Amino acid sequence: MSVLQKPDKGPVIHDWRPEDPAFWGSSGKQTATRNLWISIPALLLAFAVWMVWSTVIVRLNAIGFSFTTDQLFWLAALPGLSGATLRVFYSFMVPIFGGRRWTALSTASLLLPSIWMGFAVQDPSTSYSVFVLIALLCGFGGGNFASSMSNISFFYPKSQQGTALGLNAGLGNLGVSVMQFCVPLVITFGVFGFMGGSPQALPDGGQLWLQNAGFIWVPFIVLVTVLAWFCMNDLSSARASFSEQAVIFKRKHNWLMCWLYLATFGSFIGFSAAFPLLIKTSFPDVIALKFAFLGPLVGALVRPLGGWLADKLGGAKVTLWNFVAMIAMVFGVMHFLPQNGTGGNFYGFLGLFMLLFITTGVGNGSTFRMIPVIFRTQHEKASAGKPPAVREQALKDAGKESAAVLGFSSAMGAFGAFFIPKSFGSSMALTGGPEMAFYMFVGFYLSCIVVTWWWYARKGAATPC
């Protein structure tokens, strides 16, 4: 098809050449932009449902339940465990089913945990095991990220992938902050009238509609599902079987980037899940839900900046110095924590934690920018001096592999949503405070500095990016 020919119409696009300037300018950019701006709200809702337990657990005991602090941290951590596990499978779904179909189906799946949670919290006899199951089902939202990032990576040329992926992930990550801001508001009144059920009584005589934490997302999930189905596209050029994508398990750089992404996105999502309860346990006199949304908000907003900086300065350089900053911020947070139940400074703690969230956001964007560059460079080197057809196929293979790695590394990174809340819970159970967990994080970030410098940032690195 010539560049002057009209672009494909309908849900499936057979001719897609984002690296061709004429094609990109005539129709490609418009199509990619439309898919991106539907993908973003779908991902925002996924993050909102995935992390909703981080807010619900703060008020669960106030409406008649009697769970321990460790049990509550488990409810915050379990969506991270299931979400990360689902990401392993979701990361391969777009090339198999198509981005449009998979986005619509995966978004619709969020209805199950949202509706079930809304009914479960209204019944004071609901067992802890039922809440555990609902928390695990909220992992559907976590799984969506892997397929969403994989899908968007196919639509954009190499020079714009950092910015596009940063927008998709950064504005999608806002779902955590949007949820932590909205849920404390919508549970204070009967949003859905008699259809939403009766309120729960509080010990001080007040009322809560905690079911709204689940029900509030339902109409938006339905709307975005419809938009995805009718307005997004499938790319036939992105089709690949699982066996074609499974080659990434033999790629060293897949595992290295999984390690780095666990430190950046894993920190963002793990801190987001634990932050409300961490505030409540460390500073009992502070109303945690007034401040909890701020961390995920700043972390999500700066993620596109991380992708943009990586496009301009190089992903490895930005990532390396960002890990140095993360370590400094962790020590700053610990400085303002109460010692032996006394002292501490909440606003110092909050300010340093905001800076820590910012570094996780910048790292999210810069590490994701590194992946397409790494795999394109590897395939370009391998095909250098070979016939044009071989080089062209190598670039296609690089695109498919980098998309699979984007999804798979996001799966590994999502385990931070389990390990960080659980680390805080275990640290408090063993030592009475969260400091032990913070020291573990510092050790991990140090290992990431070594990995980034040796393989990607140092002079003479085999794969500079």
Side-chain angles (χ1 to χ4, degrees):
M1 174 172 132
S2 71
V3 296
L4 298 177
Q5 190 173 338
K6 292 184 178 179
D8 291 333
K9 293 184 178 180
V12 181
I13 296 177
H14 298 286
D15 180 64
W16 188 251
R17 292 169 282 117
E19 300 293 346
D20 181 341
F23 176 85
W24 182 251
S26 64
S27 62
K29 183 177 180 180
Q30 181 181 5
T31 300
T33 301
R34 185 182 68 252
N35 279 268
L36 175 63
W37 288 107
I38 298 174
S39 175
I40 287 172
L43 192 54
L44 186 148
L45 289 168
F47 270 93
V49 173
W50 188 26
M51 290 288 106
V52 71
W53 280 102
S54 68
T55 301
V56 172
I57 58 174
V58 177
R59 305 307 301 269
L60 206 54
N61 284 352
I63 62 171
F65 297 94
S66 55
F67 302 133
T68 66
T69 298
D70 192 47
Q71 285 178 312
L72 294 174
F73 267 118
W74 267 107
L75 289 178
L78 285 172
L81 180 62
S82 59
T85 304
L86 285 172
R87 281 189 181 194
V88 175
F89 301 98
Y90 279 38
S91 61
F92 301 103
M93 292 298 105
V94 167
I96 295 174
F97 290 98
R100 174 190 66 91
R101 279 184 287 184
W102 188 253
T103 300
L105 292 172
S106 60
T107 301
S109 72
L110 304 176
L111 290 170
L112 177 57
S114 300
I115 294 173
W116 194 1
M117 173 192 290
F119 285 109
V121 297
Q122 295 182 68
D123 184 359
S125 66
T126 301
S127 66
Y128 182 72
S129 60
V130 170
F131 284 127
V132 165
L133 183 55
I134 298 172
L136 289 170
L137 289 175
C138 284
F140 284 152
N144 287 9
F145 182 81
S147 53
S148 177
M149 296 299 282
S150 173
N151 183 44
I152 292 303
S153 73
F154 285 113
F155 280 94
Y156 282 83
K158 173 189 173 183
S159 62
Q160 298 183 37
Q161 283 184 350
T163 302
L165 292 172
L167 284 170
N168 190 53
L171 298 181
N173 288 173
L174 274 178
V176 182
S177 184
V178 168
M179 178 276 297
Q180 291 183 343
F181 178 79
C182 291
V183 166
L185 297 177
V186 300
I187 63 176
T188 61
F189 63 101
V191 176
F192 300 100
F194 73 92
M195 295 178 62
S198 302
Q200 300 89 47
L202 297 173
D204 62 4
Q207 292 181 323
L208 279 184
W209 284 259
L210 197 57
Q211 61 267 32
N212 290 347
F215 289 157
I216 194 64
W217 311 111
V218 171
F220 299 104
I221 292 170
V222 172
L223 173 62
V224 173
T225 298
V226 172
L227 285 174
W229 185 261
F230 289 104
C231 300
M232 291 186 76
N233 297 101
D234 297 316
L235 299 177
S236 61
S237 61
R239 290 295 176 88
S241 66
F242 175 78
S243 59
E244 290 177 283
Q245 300 175 77
V247 69
I248 67 169
F249 298 124
K250 300 177 182 178
R251 306 297 192 211
K252 172 182 65 179
H253 294 289
N254 171 50
W255 300 105
L256 293 175
M257 292 310 300
C258 284
W259 190 255
L260 299 185
Y261 198 63
L262 177 60
T264 55
F265 177 79
S267 294
F268 168 81
I269 202 65
F271 289 144
S272 298
F275 197 40
L277 197 54
L278 184 62
I279 294 175
K280 183 179 179 181
T281 53
S282 299
F283 300 93
D285 296 332
V286 174
I287 301 177
L289 295 185
K290 284 187 175 182
F291 302 96
F293 75 95
L294 293 172
L297 175 64
V298 297
L301 288 177
V302 301
R303 181 161 184 163
L305 174 63
W308 180 81
L309 285 173
D311 281 339
K312 299 298 181 182
L313 304 176
K317 182 185 295 184
V318 174
T319 300
L320 177 69
W321 287 106
N322 190 71
F323 282 131
V324 174
M326 289 178 74
I327 292 173
M329 294 310 108
V330 169
F331 281 115
V333 168
M334 288 195 291
H335 175 74
F336 290 107
L337 280 171
Q339 301 295 325
N340 300 317
T342 60
N345 183 309
F346 172 70
Y347 288 101
F349 167 86
L350 181 65
L352 267 297
F353 226 124
M354 293 305 101
L355 293 176
L356 179 57
F357 268 109
I358 287 173
T359 60
T360 66
V362 171
N364 283 344
S366 64
T367 49
F368 252 29
R369 165 60 170 76
M370 291 169 65
I371 292 171
V373 176
I374 289 169
F375 282 85
R376 186 181 179 93
T377 301
Q378 291 282 306
H379 281 273
E380 285 178 340
K381 286 183 178 180
S383 61
K386 295 184 178 180
V390 175
R391 295 199 300 272
E392 182 179 351
Q393 183 59 46
L395 292 181
K396 290 181 179 180
D397 291 342
K400 291 179 180 180
E401 287 186 28
S402 62
V405 173
L406 286 169
F408 186 74
S409 62
S410 80
M412 297 298 101
F415 279 106
F418 171 75
F419 288 121
I420 287 182
K422 193 65 190 74
S423 295
F424 283 133
S426 298
S427 179
M428 290 179 180
L430 294 172
T431 68
E435 289 83 0
M436 181 179 74
F438 279 121
Y439 283 119
M440 291 172 55
F441 304 152
V442 167
F444 182 42
Y445 299 154
L446 284 171
S447 74
C448 292
I449 290 175
V450 173
V451 169
T452 306
W453 177 80
W454 179 258
W455 273 283
Y456 307 115
R458 67 183 174 90
K459 185 177 180 180
T463 313
C465 57

